[in-house]
Amino acid sequence: MLDTTHRKAILYRMVMPKHTCPYGLKAKDLLERQGYVVEDHWLKTREETDAFKAAHDVKTTPQVFIDANRIGGYDDTRCFFGKPVRDPKAVTYRPVLAVFAIAALMALATSYASFGTVLTIRAAEWFIAFSMAILAMLKLQDIESFSTMFLNYDLLARRWVRYGYVYPFAEAGAGILMISGAFNWISIPVALFIGTIGAVSVFKAVYVDKRELKCACVGGGSNVPLGFVSLTENLMMIAMAIWMLVMSVPLGHME
């Protein structure tokens, strides 16, 4: 472990009237958390910044110096301290797992507010419905990017391109109706339809065709790999639709 007792780091970062470099702030915070006293130099104009880059033959700021050695920018400094650096191109399930985690907590909180306990059937139903609504919201942030990525594997969208634009609205509508428990005659067939098409599409692309694709489940700009989690999203919709159908026929709507 590095001995940082009474050690000093020199930091050069952009602090301009209309722009403060966020990575400069992160670098300063990281150095201080590692026990360094930071000699903080502000580059207050574009001319100062350009002159600094030319003098040190670097292309970006901030720049960190320790013991007269240039460490580099924020990511370089993280590496210097043995901390992981995120690869923006790396595939990850984190976005969709975050959605499921938040949806689960929302469902438990709603169950507690409604019934005074978190362990209810409605909590399970709300978890799926909240997940659908949140995932649809992420897709709708950039529907063009979503529809483009969706066309890589969805069987119906490849035959009818407009389905890529319809899908997130259908998912959002079905999810919201399932949250309310209203208009089951709309939400059940919609969820069953889009869930079945989605599940078949993902299964064919991943397990039959063995294709390595990114999933559009959390929007068009994600690095979520198409696979088990993607299939789970669709199977959850199918399960929810079947459950609501079974419960509504003999017993009516269950609160």
Side-chain angles (χ1 to χ4, degrees), residues 7-210:
R7 296 191 67 181
K8 182 176 73 172
I10 300 174
L11 171 66
Y12 289 86
R13 62 189 179 98
M14 288 192 295
V15 181
M16 300 180 183
K18 295 184 178 180
H19 175 68
T20 297
C21 177
Y23 291 103
L25 290 171
K26 285 187 172 185
K28 184 173 182 292
D29 174 71
L30 174 60
L31 289 165
E32 290 173 344
R33 285 190 287 110
Q34 294 297 314
Y36 281 76
V37 175
V38 179
E39 184 179 307
D40 192 12
H41 294 269
W42 291 7
L43 303 171
K44 300 179 180 179
T45 65
R46 175 55 61 185
E47 290 74 20
E48 283 186 27
T49 303
D50 291 342
F52 171 82
K53 290 178 181 178
H56 294 275
D57 192 25
V58 296
K59 296 181 179 180
T60 62
T61 60
Q63 290 293 322
V64 173
F65 295 81
I66 295 177
D67 295 334
N69 296 314
R70 185 176 70 84
I71 305 303
Y74 174 65
D75 285 347
D76 296 319
T77 306
R78 287 188 63 87
C79 288
F80 177 78
F81 291 120
K83 296 185 177 296
V85 176
R86 176 180 174 271
D87 180 0
K89 297 182 180 180
V91 295
T92 175
Y93 284 113
R94 182 176 295 178
V96 73
L97 293 177
V99 168
F100 289 153
I102 294 298
L105 292 173
M106 290 172 62
L108 295 175
T110 304
S111 177
Y112 184 81
S114 301
F115 307 113
T117 178
V118 298
L119 300 177
T120 63
I121 293 176
R122 285 297 282 151
E125 295 173 350
W126 280 325
F127 163 62
I128 296 177
F130 281 138
S131 297
M132 291 169 61
I134 295 172
L135 289 167
M137 177 190 70
L138 294 174
K139 296 175 177 71
L140 289 169
Q141 288 183 112
D142 187 349
I143 196 169
E144 285 294 336
S145 294
F146 162 75
S147 61
T148 299
M149 188 177 291
F150 196 56
L151 284 167
N152 283 320
Y153 59 88
D154 190 84
L155 297 175
L156 180 55
R158 297 176 78 173
R159 289 179 173 272
W160 180 44
V161 173
R162 301 307 299 175
Y163 178 63
Y165 296 89
V166 172
Y167 181 94
F169 289 100
E171 184 178 33
I176 292 169
L177 289 178
M178 287 176 172
I179 293 170
S180 70
F183 300 105
N184 288 347
W185 57 275
I186 295 177
S187 62
I188 291 174
V190 169
L192 192 58
F193 179 80
I194 65 176
T196 301
I197 296 296
V200 172
S201 298
V202 172
F203 186 84
K204 181 178 185 299
V206 176
Y207 300 103
V208 177
D209 298 338
K210 307 294 184 182

